[in-house]
Amino acid sequence: MSAAREYGLDDYEWPRPPEGGWTADDLDRLPNLPPHTELIDGSLVFVSPQTRFHLRTIRLLEYALLSQAPDAYDVDREFSVKLDRRNRPEPDVLVYRADADTGPHQTWHHSDAVVLAIEVVSEDSVERDREVKPRKYAAAGIPYFWRVEESKGLPVVYTYELDRSTNTYTITGIHHDRLKLTVPFPLTIELTAINRRPPVAPPSEYPDPQA
């Protein structure tokens, strides 16, 4: 029995790559792609379902970065970055220059606008997150990269900074329990808070848009 038949995909029309592979712009045109499809070296990469650790780590980092980032920066989760014609990965969390926001219909950021890319390692993405993506992010000139691994249910964050003389990353720290940095801006993240609910203001504290 084929894998396609086993999963009920006998009639599914798999995308057939053109000669030379897909391009970054093709991701906006190809129909019926699964959510969060990435492009690596001209090939489509599909992701497996998220684990609770993966989802909650992304949530923790997104809220922490949003609450501490200066106005010159903004934060997105699971939003793709065009590195070049054949590579358009989707970092789990990224920090980018706020002036790179082109509006509600934007589908990707250019690597020139990205300040920090973060990958939370999953079972199906170990090689990509530890080797392939860091190499490509560095080559594209993204100044900072974090790789997040799971240890006893908690995130461990490996931080890297770009060496512009070689366009490769140099590790700057391995962070357990608490992440405290001065770059790309001063920030502190309590990694043990992964399962706490992020603070959200009650409706009475939001400004009235009609006021």
Side-chain angles (χ1 to χ4, degrees), residues 58 61-62 65-66 73-82 89-97 108-110 113-119 137 142 144:
I58 292 174
L61 297 177
E62 178 189 20
L65 288 164
L66 275 171
Y73 299 113
D74 207 342
V75 180
D76 281 335
R77 62 180 290 168
E78 299 169 307
F79 197 78
S80 65
V81 176
K82 187 184 289 189
E90 185 180 285
D92 289 313
V93 184
L94 60 91
V95 177
Y96 62 98
R97 296 195 327 271
W108 52 269
H109 288 299
H110 193 280
V114 178
V115 177
L116 166 66
I118 304 173
E119 295 290 352
Y137 291 150
I142 295 175
Y144 301 98

Side-chain angles (χ1 to χ4, degrees), residues 126-182:
V126 171
E127 183 177 351
R128 291 195 303 276
D129 292 345
R130 290 179 181 173
E131 300 178 26
V132 178
K133 286 187 179 181
R135 186 171 66 248
K136 292 183 179 296
Y137 291 150
I142 295 175
Y144 301 98
F145 171 70
W146 298 356
R147 188 184 87 243
V148 186
E149 306 267 357
E150 184 267 336
S151 176
K152 299 180 181 179
L154 295 177
V156 177
V157 181
Y158 296 72
T159 56
Y160 298 82
E161 185 169 347
L162 184 66
D163 180 344
R164 294 195 178 275
S165 65
T166 60
N167 267 6
T168 58
Y169 285 127
T170 298
I171 190 165
T172 57
I174 303 175
H175 305 266
H176 301 258
D177 298 335
R178 171 183 281 194
L179 174 69
K180 188 169 185 178
L181 299 173
T182 58

Side-chain angles (χ1 to χ4, degrees), residues 15 18 29 31 63 76-77 98 124 152 188:
R29 297 191 288 258
Y63 274 79
D76 281 335
R77 62 180 290 168
D124 72 325
K152 299 180 181 179
T188 301

Side-chain angles (χ1 to χ4, degrees), residues 21-56:
W22 303 108
T23 69
D25 292 334
D26 289 330
L27 284 188
D28 291 328
R29 297 191 288 258
L30 286 168
N32 303 320
L33 288 179
H36 310 299
T37 299
E38 301 180 284
L39 186 75
I40 304 293
D41 292 330
S43 296
L44 300 176
V45 177
F46 307 125
V47 299
S48 62
Q50 288 191 51
T51 62
R52 182 182 296 270
F53 169 80
H54 192 273
L55 180 143
R56 292 198 171 191

